[in-house]
Amino acid sequence: MTTKCTIFVFIVLSVTTTLTQSSDITPLVFGTLTDGMPAAFGDFNSDELTDVFVLRNGGKTVEILLAHEEEPILRVAKPSLSCTFENKLITSVVPGDFDGDAFMDVMVTLVYRGKENEHFPHTYAHIIWGGASHLNCSNERKAIPMIGQPLALDYNQDMIVDLFGQDTDGTRVFWVFNNTRNPPERIPMEDNMRRTELSRPHAHAFIDLNEDYMADLFITTKEDFEIWLGSEHKGKFIYKKSIQHPKGAKVIGQSLFMDVELKGQMDLVTPICFDDNCQNSALLVYSNGEWHNLQVNFKDDYGATWGFALKPGSKYTDTITLHSGDFNMDGYPDILATLSPNNPEHPQSFLLENVPCMTSCGKFKRSYNVRWNILNSFKNGTAMAAFFDFYQDGILDVILVSYHNKEYKAAAFKNSLDYDANFIKVMVLTGLSNKNNEMIMGRVGKKRRTYGTNLPGPLISYKTTTQEGYTRHGASAQIPQSAHFSLNLPYTIFGLGRTPNFVDSLTVGLSNHSRSWNQIIPNSQMVVIPWPANEPSRWKAQLFVTPSKLILMSVAALTGICGIITVIIGVLHWKERQEDKKERLSESHRFHFDAM
């Protein structure tokens, strides 16, 4: 019996497949509330579940859909967490702590209705102050006028979110917030003699680009990309270099940053079009001082050529926006992109899978393949697709906005991997606390202490050893971008593939400091509290282990086998007792001849 149990368990552990099954789970996620347009992600009520900030009422209302463990997963809070702005349109949403009270606030950018085009460039940034379970929907009289949408960053390393952008005079400015809720301090950027006009839309980023654990400033201008390195002097950025736009590019989309080759360093990836209509599109990566074409084949199985969806003035497709994440959990970041054929009125989102480059690779050894059928549940058209972990299981699903008959509807897509992949999920918080209200309701209804909100700028990296004995080194940045529906998740998920080994080390760096944790259990969520920021030895980490499907299957199999064995033993024991009873009865009725 022991041999049979061993063989059965071995079969259970060995049966895997590489197919991916996916499905439309919109009713299970949104219920009947599908008119909200996703604008940002963040954990508003500090329950360790990621909430979704949506635009409703034609773009005049921002509302928070709170996440739950039961279906429907995203629901309207009671009382409702929403604010409405009459005669104005909301163009972007940025969650963050703008007053240092450890609770999440919401920054919205507003434009007057009908004035969101290039002829009326002024945008107004307004802060909606938040509490543990409410929003303070004050009027927007104290809104900050500026040109274009700002970038959220931590200017002076105080864990309070600040803004960078261009004021109405065209000057590059930092708007620095403090814990008083007064209007922010306006600080012009040093070395402002470089007055190259900022691009609009832009792809500014707050990210560590030279691996010194200090977030740098990546600025998009109409002529090039500028890199300004962060320094130990708080609030000072030093100009490093400029990167010229790719040659021949007529349209340049929003750049994004990811570790394409899994080398532990961030790569600059930029979508471009060689024509004004984006029918000749390409995906480029900047590495070793030059641009490399990733050789993406945009021709589908029927011979039709697609390009990046671009329709100025429309929602989500007014600029080319990509979203990165590891969809198949192999460690290499994939991309969600919205493409369109000859008619830009029918965009559709597709998965671009990170694969080894086979031909014309040059110095770069990775490429992307368009998976035309992965998201085929939404063939009627989608304007946007971004990654989201609906079930908190470490597997990235997809949140979409379908587009049909000029109507936008939110949708959800479940990614169900048939093979058991491992992961590490990391979230870095500000570490701030609120002395007046430190305890809030946690995920399971118990009171827990809040450790602040999600923070832009940290660099997270890991090292592990694969089953083949090779060292794998991956890196990612947390919330490096915030404008133009960048929809960055407030956490990072590293796919580890089928490697069941412990993660050798995981490093979190910010404010020129870093700390590493060794021998991390795979399939776990790690919450890092980097406080005080200048004393990394005191940084805390909380680990929540999520059992993998393989472990659960093994436990179920072993439990079933033990149950069967128990039943068999019980039956055999009962039979033996019955036979003993019969034997005693026959013995008592036997005639003893010796007694005669």
Side-chain angles (χ1 to χ4, degrees):
M1 183 59 67
T2 304
T3 304
K4 292 181 179 179
C5 292
T6 304
I7 295 173
F8 183 78
V9 173
F10 178 79
I11 292 174
V12 172
L13 295 176
S14 302
V15 175
T16 56
T17 175
T18 58
L19 296 178
T20 300
Q21 294 180 350
S22 307
S23 58
D24 180 359
I25 57 170
T26 302
L28 303 179
V29 173
F30 293 99
T32 59
L33 185 71
T34 59
D35 64 329
M37 299 179 59
F41 305 134
D43 183 5
F44 178 78
N45 54 354
S46 301
D47 63 351
E48 301 167 22
L49 300 175
T50 303
D51 309 312
V52 179
F53 296 71
V54 299
L55 301 182
R56 303 182 69 185
N57 192 22
K60 294 190 295 184
T61 299
V62 58
E63 185 163 15
I64 304 174
L65 302 183
L66 295 182
H68 296 74
E69 291 185 327
E70 302 81 16
E71 297 168 348
I73 295 174
L74 299 175
R75 312 175 199 169
V76 173
K78 295 180 180 180
S80 175
L81 296 172
S82 65
C83 293
T84 299
F85 301 89
E86 297 295 339
N87 301 320
K88 296 179 180 65
L89 290 176
I90 302 171
T91 55
S92 71
V93 177
V94 179
D97 187 359
F98 289 87
D99 58 358
D101 65 351
F103 295 128
M104 183 171 286
D105 310 305
V106 185
M107 190 277 290
V108 295
T109 55
L110 308 169
V111 296
Y112 287 98
R113 179 175 289 275
K115 295 186 178 182
E116 64 269 26
N117 52 45
E118 293 292 325
H119 300 291
F120 301 93
H122 290 184
T123 299
Y124 297 87
H126 174 64
I127 307 298
I128 303 171
W129 303 111
S133 59
H134 69 277
L135 289 176
N136 181 14
C137 298
S138 57
N139 61 56
E140 62 274 16
R141 287 180 296 177
K142 295 183 180 180
I144 308 167
M146 59 182 65
I147 298 176
Q149 297 182 17
L151 167 71
L153 47 74
D154 185 5
Y155 171 79
N156 51 2
Q157 303 164 33
D158 61 353
M159 300 295 183
I160 297 176
V161 179
D162 309 303
L163 300 176
F164 167 78
Q166 203 169 17
D167 66 8
T168 54
D169 296 328
T171 304
R172 301 180 182 183
V173 172
F174 296 98
W175 289 275
V176 181
F177 292 83
N178 51 42
N179 57 5
T180 64
R181 292 193 176 182
N182 291 327
E185 181 182 3
R186 178 185 176 278
I187 302 178
M189 186 176 184
E190 291 187 17
D191 195 12
N192 217 7
M193 294 301 294
R194 300 186 56 83
R195 292 188 177 274
T196 305
E197 186 177 355
L198 299 183
S199 177
R200 195 170 69 249
H202 66 76
H204 306 334
F206 186 58
I207 182 174
D208 181 11
L209 296 175
N210 60 348
E211 301 177 33
D212 63 350
Y213 300 114
M214 174 69 74
D216 309 309
L217 191 58
F218 177 87
I219 298 176
T220 312
T221 75
K222 292 190 173 182
E223 298 179 2
D224 52 25
F225 302 114
E226 296 178 3
I227 295 179
W228 297 71
L229 300 181
S231 69
E232 296 182 1
H233 303 286
K234 294 184 178 181
K236 184 176 178 63
F237 292 90
I238 302 172
Y239 173 76
K240 174 65 175 178
K241 65 177 181 179
S242 293
I243 301 173
Q244 296 299 315
H245 288 170
K247 293 182 179 179
K250 294 294 183 67
V251 178
I252 298 177
Q254 285 197 83
S255 300
L256 75 161
F257 298 86
M258 53 187 179
D259 188 1
V260 179
E261 289 187 303
L262 213 58
K263 291 184 176 180
Q265 61 187 23
M266 305 306 296
D267 297 309
L268 168 63
V269 178
T270 304
I272 68 167
C273 302
F274 292 107
D275 62 322
D276 294 329
N277 297 323
C278 279
Q279 289 305 296
N280 185 6
S281 300
L283 190 63
L284 306 184
V285 60
Y286 187 81
S287 179
N288 298 322
E290 58 182 331
W291 291 100
H292 302 271
N293 194 325
L294 290 175
Q295 307 294 333
V296 180
N297 182 11
F298 288 101
K299 184 175 292 187
D300 64 16
D301 299 335
Y302 302 98
T305 300
W306 295 64
F308 292 118
L310 180 64
K311 186 180 179 183
S314 63
K315 296 181 177 67
Y316 296 115
T317 54
D318 60 338
T319 183
I320 303 171
T321 304
L322 309 178
H323 302 101
S324 65
D326 189 359
F327 185 80
N328 56 3
M329 306 298 288
D330 65 346
Y332 293 93
D334 308 305
I335 293 174
L336 288 173
T338 302
L339 310 177
S340 67
N342 295 328
N343 188 352
E345 294 292 336
H346 296 88
Q348 189 170 342
S349 298
F350 295 96
L351 174 73
L352 276 61
E353 183 183 6
N354 190 325
V355 297
C357 182
M358 305 304 293
T359 58
S360 304
C361 302
K363 299 179 180 179
F364 216 78
K365 303 304 180 184
R366 304 296 296 185
S367 181
Y368 282 89
N369 280 352
V370 182
R371 298 304 186 193
W372 302 102
N373 297 321
I374 293 293
L375 301 176
N376 56 6
S377 300
F378 304 92
K379 290 185 177 180
N380 290 331
T382 47
M384 184 278 296
F387 291 106
F388 195 92
D389 184 5
F390 290 118
Y391 292 97
Q392 303 295 318
D393 57 0
I395 297 176
L396 286 175
D397 309 300
V398 182
I399 189 169
L400 306 99
V401 174
S402 61
Y403 178 74
H404 184 61
N405 293 332
K406 298 185 178 181
E407 289 187 358
Y408 294 89
K409 297 289 185 181
F413 191 82
K414 179 174 175 55
N415 173 19
S416 300
L417 291 179
D418 275 348
Y419 65 93
D420 195 48
N422 298 290
F423 67 91
I424 286 290
K425 184 175 181 179
V426 186
M427 179 168 57
V428 184
L429 303 179
T430 60
L432 300 177
S433 61
N434 192 312
K435 296 181 180 179
N436 296 325
N437 190 3
E438 289 187 348
M439 308 302 289
I440 61 172
M441 297 303 293
R443 181 189 298 184
V444 294
K446 298 179 181 179
K447 288 190 175 182
R448 296 182 178 179
R449 181 177 177 179
T450 175
Y451 289 98
T453 62
N454 310 115
L455 181 69
L459 181 68
I460 306 164
S461 62
Y462 76 95
K463 290 183 179 179
T464 190
T465 304
T466 65
Q467 290 178 306
E468 294 78 16
Y470 299 110
T471 299
R472 170 180 285 185
H473 188 191
S476 179
Q478 180 173 285
I479 321 180
Q481 296 167 303
S482 54
H484 303 290
F485 297 106
S486 56
L487 288 167
N488 291 119
L489 288 167
Y491 50 78
T492 296
I493 293 181
F494 294 107
L496 303 177
R498 300 179 184 178
T499 302
N501 301 340
F502 280 67
V503 175
D504 296 336
S505 66
L506 189 141
T507 303
V508 173
L510 75 158
S511 302
N512 204 33
H513 298 282
S514 66
R515 180 171 177 178
S516 297
W517 289 266
N518 299 323
Q519 298 300 306
I520 304 299
I521 302 173
N523 290 351
S524 58
Q525 174 178 328
M526 189 171 179
V527 179
V528 179
I529 301 102
W531 186 263
N534 58 350
E535 298 182 38
S537 61
R538 296 176 58 185
W539 292 3
K540 299 178 181 178
Q542 297 180 353
L543 201 67
F544 305 92
V545 178
T546 302
S548 68
K549 289 185 292 184
L550 190 60
I551 293 177
L552 295 177
M553 290 170 60
S554 303
V555 171
L558 290 173
T559 302
I561 292 171
C562 292
I564 293 172
I565 293 174
T566 302
V567 171
I568 293 174
I569 292 174
V571 171
L572 294 175
H573 181 66
W574 178 81
K575 285 187 66 177
E576 186 176 358
R577 291 188 62 181
Q578 292 298 108
E579 291 176 358
D580 290 343
K581 185 177 180 180
K582 289 180 180 179
E583 186 175 348
R584 286 196 300 269
L585 288 173
S586 62
E587 186 72 25
S588 63
H589 290 87
R590 184 178 300 171
F591 183 76
H592 294 277
F593 291 96
D594 295 338
M596 294 180 65

